[in-house]
Amino acid sequence: SQTIHQWPATLVQPVGSPLSLECTVEGTSNPNLYWYRQAAGRGLQLLFYSVGIGQISSEVPQNLSASRPQDRQFILSSKKLLLSDSGFYLCAWDRDPNQPQHFGDGTRLSIL
Amino acid sequence: AQSVTQLDSHVSVSEGTPVLLRCNYSSSYSPSLFWYVQHPNKGLQLLLKYTSAATLVKGINGFEAEFKKSETSFHLTKPSAHMSDAAEYFCVVSDRAGGGADGLTFGKGTHLIIQP
């Protein structure tokens, strides 16, 4: 069966520090991969998605970036974190556009 | 372009009473529709999906939803609420032709509160 892993589960970082969140999928090949952010008490905001290795589409201009170095690995990065980057970050995957996405357990990021 | 409207940001019911979470959508094509549940500090878990088969869809944990094309609705129901149902619920519409995010829209969520 397919599984999706995100880490770390929680992260506290100072303003201006770098960021690297990782997401990996197991049990499938060539998935579509997504990064979402969820601010406190709000809905999901799509940040990036990828339909293949090295292919990244950005939905929102910001100081975050994403990379897909391997087929089932999706990384969210920042060189310098802002206070506004705080939130709950979710990774998701799917294979078929008419089938549901599958979500990881998320990373709670707090910026001090 | 498609859209999703979850008509209530908060719904409060007593334990053991029915639950109704409302979702209306608009789509140019025949969409797929999903309901997800999110417990605090957790990812989204799929409750049920409609993909142009039976219009009454049964999901996990006793939830079900009915696709009504004439009303462009996909309301989520449960006959008897349980304390463990307290969570955030998201309605999602997808009329994507391929991979990627074009044609995928999430509702803003409904917070379900269960009173003892």
Side-chain angles (χ1 to χ4, degrees):
Chain A
S1 64
Q2 302 94 353
T3 57
I4 179 169
H5 302 280
Q6 275 187 254
W7 67 92
T10 59
L11 189 60
V12 180
Q13 293 285 98
V15 169
S17 63
L19 173 74
S20 180
L21 302 181
E22 190 162 342
C23 171
T24 59
V25 178
E26 296 177 358
T28 188
S29 60
N30 196 29
N32 302 311
L33 296 169
Y34 307 81
W35 277 112
Y36 292 90
R37 178 169 60 201
Q38 191 174 27
R42 303 186 66 178
L44 275 71
Q45 178 187 34
L46 179 64
L47 301 176
F48 301 94
Y49 68 90
S50 172
V51 299
I53 296 174
Q55 301 177 62
I56 308 295
S57 296
S58 174
E59 293 293 303
V60 182
Q62 58 212 327
N63 72 322
L64 299 172
S65 62
S67 62
R68 185 170 177 174
Q70 301 180 42
D71 181 45
R72 293 170 292 170
Q73 184 185 30
F74 205 24
I75 297 172
L76 183 69
S77 304
S78 174
K79 293 182 179 178
K80 284 187 175 182
L81 285 167
L82 306 172
L83 283 173
S84 58
D85 292 323
S86 292
F88 192 54
Y89 288 82
L90 288 160
C91 182
W93 73 271
D94 63 29
R95 285 291 309 278
D96 183 324
N98 292 314
Q99 293 298 324
Q101 294 180 318
H102 306 273
F103 286 81
D105 283 337
T107 295
R108 174 70 59 190
L109 176 64
S110 300
I111 311 298
L112 303 179
Chain B
Q2 76 280 57
S3 67
V4 177
T5 302
Q6 291 186 241
L7 295 157
D8 307 292
S9 59
H10 292 78
V11 169
S12 180
V13 302
S14 298
E15 189 176 19
T17 64
V19 175
L20 170 64
L21 305 183
R22 299 183 293 167
C23 174
N24 285 99
Y25 71 93
S26 68
S27 175
S28 302
Y29 307 102
S30 296
S32 297
L33 293 156
F34 314 105
W35 275 101
Y36 288 87
V37 61
Q38 184 183 30
H39 290 94
N41 291 311
K42 291 292 185 183
L44 276 68
Q45 179 186 17
L46 181 69
L47 278 177
L48 48 81
K49 63 181 180 182
Y50 167 78
T51 54
S52 74
T55 56
L56 182 61
V57 182
K58 294 189 182 297
I60 62 172
N61 301 336
F63 284 94
E64 63 182 39
E66 187 171 7
F67 174 70
K68 292 187 176 180
K69 187 174 182 178
S70 61
E71 299 176 13
T72 60
S73 69
F74 191 56
H75 301 333
L76 182 70
T77 60
K78 183 173 180 177
S80 177
H82 190 274
M83 293 300 292
S84 62
D85 295 327
E88 193 81 15
Y89 291 79
F90 293 94
C91 181
V92 181
V93 63
S94 175
D95 58 13
R96 297 179 287 170
D102 289 340
L104 179 68
T105 303
F106 283 75
K108 294 186 183 303
T110 297
H111 187 61
L112 178 61
I113 300 162
I114 310 296
Q115 306 282 0

